[in-house]
Amino acid sequence: MKFNNLLLISQLIALGSAGLIRRDNSDKCSCSVNPNNRKDCGYYGITETECINKGCCWGSTDVNGAPWCFYTASGGKTTDCNNNGNEGKSCEVDIYKREDCGYYGITKSGCESRECCWAESNISGIPWCTCNVDERSRKDCGYLGITKNECEAGGCCWAESETEGIPWCFNQPAKPSIGGGDCVYTVTDLETSETGMKAILDLEGRICQKYDVDFQTLDFEAKFETDTRLHIHVQPTDIKNNPHNVDMPAAAYPFEIENEPLNDLQYSYELTNGQNFQLQVKRNDGSVVFDGMSFIFERQYLELSKKIRSDASIYGFGEVLAPYKRNSQDTQHALFNADNATPIGQNLYGSHPFYIEIIDGKAYGFFLRNSHGMEFTIKNNVLTIQVIGGNFDMYFFMGPTMDDVVKQYYKVIGAPALLPYWSLGWHQCRYGYEDIWAVENVVANYKKHNIPLDTMWIDIDFMDAYKDFTYNPNKFPVSEVRKFVSDLKKNHQYYVNMIDPAISNTKNYAPYERGLQKDIFIKDKYGNNFVGEVWPGKTVFPDWHHPNILEYWTNEIKLFKDLAMTDGNWIDMNEAANFCNGACDTPYDDAPFVLGEFNPRTPPFAISHFGTNSKAHLKTKNLDMDAKYYGGLIDYDIHNIYGHMEAIVTNKALLNIDPVKRPFLLSRSTFPGTGKYAAHWLGDNHSDWEHLYYSISGMLNFQFFGIPMVGSDICGFVFDSNEELCARWMELGAFNPFGRNHNGLGYIDQEPYVWGTVAEASRRALAIRYKILPYLYTHLVRTHTHSEMILYSFAGEWPNDSKAVGIDKQFLVGKGLLITPVITKGARSVTGYFPEGVWYDWYTHASFSGPTSKTLDAELEHIPVHIRGGHIIPTQGPSLTVYENRNKPFELLIALDANKKATGRLYLDDGISIDVNGKFNEIEYTVENGTLTAKGKYNYDEAQKLHEITVLGVSSKPSKVIANGKEVSFEYLKNELIIKNLSISMNADFTVSWN
């Protein structure tokens, strides 16, 4: 407590120390221990927070050798004491951090009957029924003169107050436990078959009402769709009268998901008539993969939780800046698409309600197909998903490897698009190129400094007043843009520019007028065109669900391409971003939620939109949640698929315009399945070391999110980059599947030639990228044809290696190249972990075996790269463009494993046709017993020959080398065989042997 009479306080402290004034807890909870008698409860360097979290006491002292972190007077921990039922309670008192404990419309008595706290507030959006206590409601938990350390060590909450008489040490009631008895459904009317089961789930009159009105009965169906895919669907029985709990629109997945004959189910799921419903999924060996806890289904609130291990290995559920392996003790963020410039731990541009968990070395996947906003939390060994609408449309994928899970998942959301070969080349862009002549200078400077460049991008600078489908007549005159594009084509380079979804509502602006004629814009709640604001000012937004939208969008893009042909397009701001919070022209107050009334503007549960400390209104930087789409849909129900639907429509439009070439499309906003139509970049990142690190986990996540063609803005988008950071980012960026240097308006130039060391680092790293282009392209195509990935994580490759499952500062390109980037400022070395196997240095070919950790030299211009034993890497070049690269002879780099074996493959086609019509080569390479064998299918006429083969790990010099029956010359260095001057056709099988 705080008093003005300091003398009184000192006297009371003395009495307390003498034991004359005590709390209810016994002395065993006391942290008043003579420093000479303290028993160490921590470790050297422990912090106060870490000590208290361990349940120990904390108190600094000048007594030499006395621990600052120590056990209680009884020799135990504070967590062993009786804390008056206060374990696990929040101590937050800031009203902006209140956690809702009731529902809108709840009464004070109803709140207190839940054992929650009641504190009224006149601030909109602040719950009155809360787990966080207003200071006027504090209940004293200490004694006069108690210290903060003693208060918290006793399991109480501490917060100072300026108000006289308010206790600083206090306790508070806890929020009711998740999934109480009143929330449990009973299984009735169960019907089973060999391919699944159906049932009615019945609350039988019980009342849950955690946040909203309950659905008393639910239709449940479990479908055994394949041996490795279990599909569980739960919706209200009275679905016709609950349009906001129906399935996602069919247009979001315009293809049929194929089932397979059941031969050997890898999972089991059981229900019993008359018993409580539980969501527990097991493998066929009886091990539990999903041990369900809460299951709540209310009109605007759904909840599902499961138990997890304290050291759980969980990956996914994004888009979010977070470590690759999710924090198993403290993870919380929303999935709600937003124009949010990459803060750590918040909802970003896309929503992917999919995760992979590895348990005892085996992986399974979980997908919740639901486009409503949701919250994802992992705390106290419980994973919880809370959704503000829709239904439970759940898929379980049994793996058992991460690769298997991804293949199984892709069958549901669609395999990634077949992208053109040139998209693997290097890309350059920035927001802020002054005019077309500045862009031309950038292309010229790349060539001058011998840095590869395939594609030049232009951000919204080219537009006339930032309006879509226009060119600024002074800075980007169409005649000059056409000349620029023509020059690029002569050099076999490419051009991509921007299309935002928002259309300026300027009168006489043709795309707007044509949109009005076709009536394809989203409506507000009154039926008028919804008006927001984006770059050109006031705008309207295309409705991607409207039957006229494809015709409209195809026409606008075609007219735009007729001005100056682009090779691809970039769709940005498609969350949909809005500079107003909801409608600009007709704003109105958001009515508070009332139990029993559907309210899309103010749902009963607040997700962490723009962060857990914000929980902003859903319309913040978005459309109004009651904005209307064709067919009765509203934004509340389908907000998270706005960008996804734009990608589908734009992809179709590009195919309508040119049905021969593969479309290249880059989208900022994504959802499961977007990769079938578009690539992705990680958004408006920051030019700092932290975002450099998080770019790795971002790329790894999108490999299994179904968009493997992904990368960050190299050197950062927001804020000024610098020489060291940009050098390291260019090195790492050379191994992004989508590699593009891009920065923002008003920041210094960061093209790789700006700094000498960055130019050299770029030349070295991009030389590797271009050399391995045949390897990269093979992987790119196989994402489409075989549901594979381009980048691979250590967790996926070595799931039984306890160290590997947490590594996210290294990654694999394919499965044969290991990248160990420097992501620390000032570092000139980096420590990498190398799992089991043989590893070869890319540059020196020196080898060693894992598992081991190694500290690697890494001067500023150098990135460590290693080849994994057992892999064959096909190469060409390197050159300065993909076209030049493809006109260079082939080489094979063979890295033998400990058994002197290796495998690899190569795919070849024209690199551009959407339908190659069977004209491709697919070659499988194997090495065993000193013989390289190439076998394949050959329907594409590849002009280039295999010129050179390098074999690493050859332990002794061969007496001779035979290629296709003829003896050839070779060189042998230590453990390295080099066979040069070959001229082997890439259109037929061959063998090369050494003895």
Side-chain angles (χ1 to χ4, degrees), residues 27-31 33 55 57 70-78 81 153:
D27 281 342
K28 72 176 184 177
C29 297
S30 174
C31 288
V33 182
C57 300
F70 54 93
Y71 287 98
T72 64
S74 65
K77 290 189 174 184
T78 59
C81 302

Side-chain angles (χ1 to χ4, degrees), residues 135-359:
E135 65 177 21
R136 295 168 298 176
S137 304
R138 295 181 188 175
K139 297 179 181 179
D140 200 347
C141 189
Y143 50 83
L144 295 178
I146 192 172
T147 67
K148 180 176 185 289
N149 294 336
E150 292 171 333
C151 173
E152 292 178 337
C156 303
C157 304
W158 177 273
E160 297 179 7
S161 172
E162 296 293 329
T163 306
E164 188 170 339
I166 299 297
W168 292 15
C169 184
F170 57 95
N171 59 26
Q172 58 181 339
K175 191 171 183 177
S177 61
I178 295 175
D182 287 346
C183 298
V184 176
Y185 285 85
T186 301
V187 178
T188 66
D189 300 329
L190 178 65
E191 300 176 6
T192 62
S193 71
E194 292 183 354
T195 58
M197 62 186 71
K198 293 182 179 181
I200 300 295
L201 307 183
D202 197 336
L203 273 180
E204 296 184 328
R206 291 184 288 266
I207 297 176
C208 178
Q209 288 189 7
K210 185 170 183 179
Y211 288 100
D212 199 358
V213 292
D214 305 318
F215 285 113
Q216 281 291 315
T217 60
L218 304 170
D219 288 343
F220 170 92
E221 184 173 14
K223 292 186 273 189
F224 308 156
E225 294 185 340
T226 73
D227 283 337
T228 56
R229 186 175 79 226
L230 170 64
H231 183 192
I232 292 179
H233 186 271
V234 188
Q235 67 179 20
T237 301
D238 186 19
I239 191 62
K240 291 182 179 179
N241 292 318
N242 292 282
H244 305 290
N245 299 97
V246 300
D247 291 339
M248 286 177 54
Y253 296 99
F255 55 89
E256 184 177 349
I257 300 173
E258 296 182 0
N259 297 338
E260 298 171 4
L262 302 178
N263 297 308
D264 183 18
L265 280 185
Q266 297 300 302
Y267 52 85
S268 67
Y269 183 75
E270 298 177 353
L271 290 179
T272 303
N273 235 353
Q275 298 296 312
N276 291 342
F277 172 74
Q278 184 182 15
L279 192 59
Q280 187 180 74
V281 179
K282 300 179 180 179
R283 293 193 184 276
N284 59 0
D285 63 4
S287 60
V288 177
V289 297
F290 194 98
D291 194 7
M293 295 176 64
S294 64
F295 179 85
I296 298 173
F297 203 138
E298 298 165 357
R299 183 162 59 180
Q300 285 186 260
Y301 180 77
L302 286 72
E303 178 180 297
L304 182 69
S305 66
K306 60 156 288 190
K307 300 174 186 176
I308 62 169
R309 298 178 179 180
S310 59
D311 61 345
S313 296
I314 296 172
Y315 312 88
F317 233 88
E319 182 177 8
V320 65
L321 257 68
Y324 181 58
K325 180 183 175 184
R326 306 309 304 272
N327 188 325
S328 61
Q329 300 302 317
D330 188 18
T331 288
Q332 183 177 0
H333 62 86
L335 268 68
F336 193 67
N337 296 0
D339 176 16
N340 197 10
T342 65
I344 296 166
Q346 294 186 20
N347 55 308
L348 299 177
Y349 312 103
S351 293
H352 292 265
F354 170 76
Y355 72 80
I356 295 175
E357 182 176 13
I358 296 175
I359 303 174

Side-chain angles (χ1 to χ4, degrees), residues 382-694:
V382 176
L383 182 156
T384 305
I385 302 169
Q386 298 162 289
V387 197
I388 58 174
N391 58 43
F392 287 113
D393 191 3
M394 301 173 286
Y395 290 85
F396 296 86
F397 308 97
M398 305 311 295
T401 68
M402 189 177 283
D403 285 8
D404 293 331
V405 171
V406 171
K407 291 176 185 290
Q408 294 154 14
Y409 180 47
Y410 281 12
K411 288 183 179 180
V412 171
I413 66 170
L418 180 61
L419 298 175
Y421 200 129
W422 61 261
S423 65
L424 288 170
W426 190 252
H427 304 254
Q428 175 62 48
C429 185
R430 78 158 296 160
Y431 175 24
Y433 285 132
E434 181 65 22
D435 50 39
I436 187 62
W437 299 279
V439 177
E440 289 176 345
N441 284 335
V442 171
V443 177
N445 274 316
Y446 260 91
K447 187 172 184 178
K448 176 182 177 180
H449 290 85
N450 292 312
I451 300 172
L453 177 66
D454 266 279
T455 307
M456 193 67 209
W457 297 54
I458 310 180
D459 209 310
I460 59 174
D461 309 288
F462 72 85
M463 298 179 183
D464 182 15
Y466 299 127
K467 296 194 294 289
D468 270 351
F469 311 118
T470 65
Y471 283 99
N472 184 303
N474 298 314
K475 296 184 176 183
F476 291 86
V478 169
S479 60
E480 291 297 324
V481 175
R482 283 178 174 170
K483 177 180 176 297
F484 167 70
V485 172
S486 176
D487 289 342
L488 287 177
K489 298 304 176 195
K490 290 175 184 176
N491 294 319
H492 303 283
Q493 292 171 303
Y494 301 88
Y495 167 51
V496 176
N497 65 14
M498 172 91 70
I499 300 175
D500 285 336
I503 300 296
S504 171
N505 65 353
T506 304
K507 190 174 182 180
N508 296 324
Y509 169 50
Y512 173 62
E513 297 294 345
R514 288 190 288 264
L516 290 178
Q517 292 172 8
K518 292 188 176 296
D519 194 27
I520 51 84
F521 297 122
I522 295 171
K523 312 300 181 187
D524 64 19
K525 64 177 294 185
Y526 304 109
N528 304 312
N529 286 333
F530 178 92
V531 177
E533 181 178 348
V534 194
W535 298 115
K538 297 298 176 60
T539 57
V540 290
F541 297 83
D543 177 356
W544 309 114
H545 302 266
H546 197 284
N548 295 334
I549 190 63
L550 180 58
E551 180 184 359
Y552 166 79
W553 203 239
T554 301
N555 181 63
E556 298 306 324
I557 295 176
K558 184 179 185 305
L559 292 173
F560 184 50
K561 283 179 173 288
D562 287 345
L563 297 177
M565 181 56 65
T566 59
D567 297 288
N569 289 101
W570 175 14
I571 50 177
D572 191 15
M573 308 295 288
N574 54 344
E575 292 74 29
N578 181 13
F579 297 163
C580 295
N581 294 330
C584 295
D585 292 347
T586 56
Y588 53 94
D589 293 335
D590 299 331
F593 178 80
V594 176
L595 188 66
E597 297 181 6
F598 175 74
N599 187 337
R601 287 177 160 259
T602 313
F605 174 74
I607 61 174
S608 298
H609 184 31
F610 287 100
T612 56
N613 292 331
S614 170
K615 296 194 173 182
H617 284 282
L618 299 180
K619 69 179 182 181
T620 303
K621 297 187 72 174
N622 284 320
L623 310 187
D624 285 322
M625 292 298 102
D626 51 12
K628 296 190 292 188
Y629 297 75
Y630 184 86
L633 301 166
I634 63 172
D635 198 69
Y636 181 81
D637 299 323
I638 58 172
H639 171 81
N640 282 345
I641 61 170
Y642 187 86
H644 173 73
M645 293 304 302
E646 184 189 16
I648 292 176
V649 173
T650 307
N651 184 281
K652 290 180 179 178
L654 294 175
L655 284 172
N656 286 344
I657 295 167
D658 188 343
V660 175
K661 292 181 181 179
R662 303 170 194 176
F664 178 79
L665 186 62
L666 187 78
S667 178
R668 187 169 78 172
S669 184
T670 62
F671 192 78
T674 303
K676 185 175 174 65
Y677 311 97
H680 175 61
W681 92 106
L682 298 175
D684 298 344
N685 60 0
H686 300 179
S687 297
D688 59 41
W689 295 91
E690 197 167 29
H691 279 73
L692 173 62
Y693 156 63
Y694 281 122

